[in-house]
Amino acid sequence: MTDKYLTALGEYVISKGLNIYEIATVTGDNPPEFIRIKSPNWCNDIYSITKVFTTTAVMMCCEREILTVNDRVCDILADELPEAGMDPRWQDVTVHMALKHRAGLPGGHLDADTRDARTFTTDWLRYLFKTPLEYTPGTSEGYSDGAFYLLARIVEKVAGEDINRFLWHELFYPLKFQEVAWQKDPQGHPNGGSGMFMQASDVAKLGAIYKNGGVYQGRRYLTRESVDTVLGRGYELHVRDRESGIYGKGGMLGQNLIILPKADRVVAYTGCGDNGAASDWIMKHQEF
């Protein structure tokens, strides 16, 4: 039986005619519940919520002591650097800077969702490294998918397998994800900044891990320290209301992952063109 909160949210979405496909909730440590309002696809693009999955993979690598957030990008990917034409300031970029969009890249860089991906050539990493940095790394912020494509390649380098394969055995399979597809570059490397397709109920499971301090349904996926690092430093999961402690991550065209700690609830939804009305309702109705 669908819980009253999810039913009420669904009724609100329908009454407002919001273009939302699917809504899922996780309450406490329970399995997700979901409703499909209008779902043209079994899975839908979650766009920039993808970055939370990439962040999670980075933290898992840090826990395994094969990576730290203070490592320099050029040290990790030394074998991948172009021989010439590279901004020397790349040598100062760290994993932490990439996680905070402070690597110096122009805002919106490597956005395969809105630009012709052929612009990036067949070698996205080489294209990225030959991009002139817009500012000195660490001094300012420029939100881009490029920083997270870079992080996905870093995970691949240190883990010895691409980030999609890594997350399948570390996260997706044990969490019983129904289905996952991931946009890849011409060489087959997943785009860590966007392009993941999945069900809202599986997105909600990731939110539950963070809400529960790294644990979901009896299994630990992240240490408490990793969760605190992600939330404390704002690695993609950002506070939306400081007083109530609500935090989350949105994606293009109105995708949302919203974590409500006081209500012990996670809400995730997919759609196309949501104007923010659904997230406003969620923010105002923590308890139901």
Side-chain angles (χ1 to χ4, degrees):
M1 183 176 180
T2 305
D3 85 281
K4 293 180 179 179
Y5 182 91
L6 183 55
T7 299
L9 175 54
E11 290 174 349
Y12 174 79
V13 166
I14 292 169
S15 72
K16 295 296 183 181
L18 303 181
N19 197 22
I20 288 176
Y21 304 151
E22 182 182 35
I23 308 170
T25 60
V26 171
T27 304
D29 201 41
N30 296 309
E33 295 190 60
F34 69 93
I35 53 174
R36 285 198 173 93
I37 296 172
K38 44 181 176 181
S39 184
N41 306 300
W42 187 247
C43 293
N44 293 291
D45 196 341
I46 63 172
Y47 294 104
S48 278
I49 298 175
T50 301
K51 294 179 177 71
V52 184
F53 286 92
T54 299
T55 297
T56 302
V58 168
M59 299 313 297
M60 287 177 166
C61 289
C62 290
E63 290 180 8
R64 287 154 182 73
E65 298 183 346
I66 55 176
L67 183 67
T68 79
V69 296
N70 296 318
D71 287 345
R72 296 195 313 164
V73 166
C74 289
D75 291 341
I76 302 166
L77 298 173
D79 296 339
E80 312 290 342
L81 302 180
E83 293 180 2
M86 186 173 163
D87 189 320
R89 292 177 296 177
W90 268 108
Q91 295 293 335
D92 299 322
V93 177
T94 64
V95 172
H96 168 76
M97 291 176 189
L99 285 164
K100 292 292 290 181
H101 298 278
R102 298 174 69 87
L105 290 167
H109 193 62
L110 213 75
D111 187 348
D113 296 321
T114 62
R115 293 182 60 190
D116 184 345
R118 291 172 296 182
T119 304
F120 316 139
T121 75
T122 58
D123 189 336
W124 287 15
L125 190 60
R126 182 178 177 84
Y127 172 84
L128 194 65
F129 278 133
K130 295 194 79 170
T131 298
L133 298 183
E134 197 165 79
Y135 54 86
T136 300
T139 63
S140 188
E141 183 174 312
Y143 185 90
S144 75
D145 289 349
F148 275 72
Y149 172 77
L150 183 64
L151 289 167
R153 294 296 300 267
I154 286 171
V155 169
E156 180 175 336
K157 191 71 172 180
V158 300
E161 58 185 344
D162 74 46
I163 191 171
N164 183 51
R165 291 178 180 272
F166 178 79
L167 284 177
W168 260 111
H169 58 74
E170 295 298 326
L171 198 71
F172 303 154
Y173 188 79
L175 280 170
K176 301 179 181 177
F177 274 36
Q178 180 69 26
E179 191 174 358
V180 178
W182 206 330
Q183 179 195 55
K184 296 179 175 64
D185 71 10
Q187 297 179 333
H189 305 285
N191 178 2
S194 189
M196 289 185 84
F197 290 74
M198 63 176 62
Q199 296 177 29
S201 54
D202 288 334
V203 177
K205 293 172 187 175
L206 182 63
I209 289 171
Y210 282 95
K211 177 181 66 68
N212 298 339
V215 178
Y216 180 57
Q217 295 197 323
R219 175 164 176 160
R220 179 166 291 283
Y221 294 90
L222 289 171
T223 64
R224 178 81 236 189
E225 181 182 5
S226 290
V227 171
D228 289 345
T229 296
V230 170
L231 300 183
R233 297 185 179 181
Y235 287 166
E236 290 310 295
L237 285 171
H238 302 294
V239 174
R240 297 192 176 185
D241 183 80
R242 197 163 300 279
E243 183 177 346
S244 62
I246 297 174
Y247 60 95
K249 176 66 179 176
M252 192 172 77
L253 300 179
Q255 322 314 309
N256 246 306
L257 170 63
I258 302 174
I259 300 165
L260 311 160
K262 288 186 177 179
D264 200 15
R265 180 180 292 118
V266 174
V267 183
Y269 61 83
T270 59
C272 183
D274 171 44
N275 61 8
S279 60
D280 289 345
W281 188 96
I282 294 165
M283 296 280 286
K284 294 175 182 176
H285 297 83
Q286 286 201 68
E287 303 289 349
F288 196 87

